[in-house]
Amino acid sequence: MKMENLIRIENGEKAKHTFSDAEYANRHGKLRELMARESIDAVLFTSYHNINYYADFLYCSFGRKYGLVVTSQKVVSISANIDGGQPWRRTVGDYNVVYTDWQRDNFFRAVQGEIENRGRVGVEFDHLPVEMLSKLKAALPSVEFVDIGVPTMRLRMIKSTEEIEVIKHGANVCDAGGAALARAVGEGVPEHEVALASTQAMVREIARRFPDSELMDTWTWFQSGINTDGAHNPVTTRKVQKGDILSLNCFSMIAGYYTALERTMFFDHCSDAHLRLWKINVEVHEAGLELIKPGARCCDIASELNKIYAEYGVLQYRTFGYGHSFGVLSHYYGREAGLELREDIDTVLEPGMVVSMEPMIMLPQGLPGAGGYREHDILVVGEKGATNITGFPYGPDHNIIAA
């Protein structure tokens, strides 16, 4: 029996897409304008974020390769046989090509079938391991490969009206997760149980708001005590104790669009040393919210906020940038690195950008007020200012949870 290299699996009915046909047509149009300016004949996306952004398909790798080919005439996704008809049902585009496992490197045979062996082809240099790039060059030896990752990142930095609406829903979902988390905190309750309450609340809220969506990747990091020292520390079985500093981190994922809510909390009471540091961080947070507006440079925002920390003698305890872009990203894929509120980023904020304000300081164990302090709101930059779409309250007046 002959086992095919490439097949089609058009199983079931097409899914309802996250955005309108006009939205995807606009994305494809802007990409093709970029391709024309740069004399790029075809693009091969391989990243989670760009395939999702241009095709509404968020793949599950499990060690396999996925692709999206865009030319002036077509949009074609390439997926693995293991996924059956799901990629075809989800993909915005002309068709889906499925490669099988029966011969090695069938993915590259699919690429050969969709991209001509000539001209310039855009690929994501930040998403191509050396081995994969070598195999692409072997499959298309007459092609000049050029980077499309940075230019498409810049395109994604400006959100459409439809994108902003999804992001607003995501922020609302995080608020619901935060409320569920606060209700679940209690003496002796393990971190993982608190996190589960939040995650379940968010998944159910996404299902209510987006009944046609795939429900995946929503999660919560809830940290207590020593575990608050890192912004991305995983959940553990540590049990909450009276006087603990707590970190609430709720992350809703809607069709690959990440939103977040992060808050400093305390259980039962907050010591004077902790309260002093918490108020400093809240002061920086509020100052940062005022600085986010069109025309502001990312680096200037960071420099201004550094001054406040320095005045209180705690600048050395700052651990990362003051905020970042939102959109198609997650804890394991995507990053619009050109839109981070850091000293080394000179990007100017524009209407349509969506950024966070999330100052954090961390004092190590043994110092008065030890722990990690972090507040996080999401703002949509408009023509004259910015709109805060996070509703969950912050600061000592709201987030000392009674025993």
Side-chain angles (χ1 to χ4, degrees), residues 102-123:
W102 317 136
Q103 294 82 25
R104 185 172 296 278
D105 290 336
N106 277 343
F107 172 81
F108 299 98
R109 293 184 177 91
V111 172
Q112 285 176 317
E114 300 302 326
I115 297 178
E116 293 185 47
N117 184 27
R118 63 173 182 81
R120 286 160 56 87
V121 173
V123 293

Side-chain angles (χ1 to χ4, degrees), residues 20-64:
S20 69
D21 291 344
E23 170 75 11
Y24 291 107
N26 185 53
R27 295 181 187 187
H28 298 161
K30 289 182 177 178
L31 174 61
R32 284 167 172 150
E33 289 173 4
L34 170 64
M35 293 166 63
R37 287 196 304 270
E38 301 296 327
S39 299
I40 294 173
D41 301 285
V43 168
L44 173 64
F45 291 120
T46 52
S47 68
Y48 292 96
H49 41 282
N50 271 328
I51 292 176
N52 187 49
Y53 184 78
Y54 288 104
D56 203 27
F57 168 46
L58 188 59
Y59 65 79
C60 177
S61 174
F62 257 96
R64 292 176 170 85

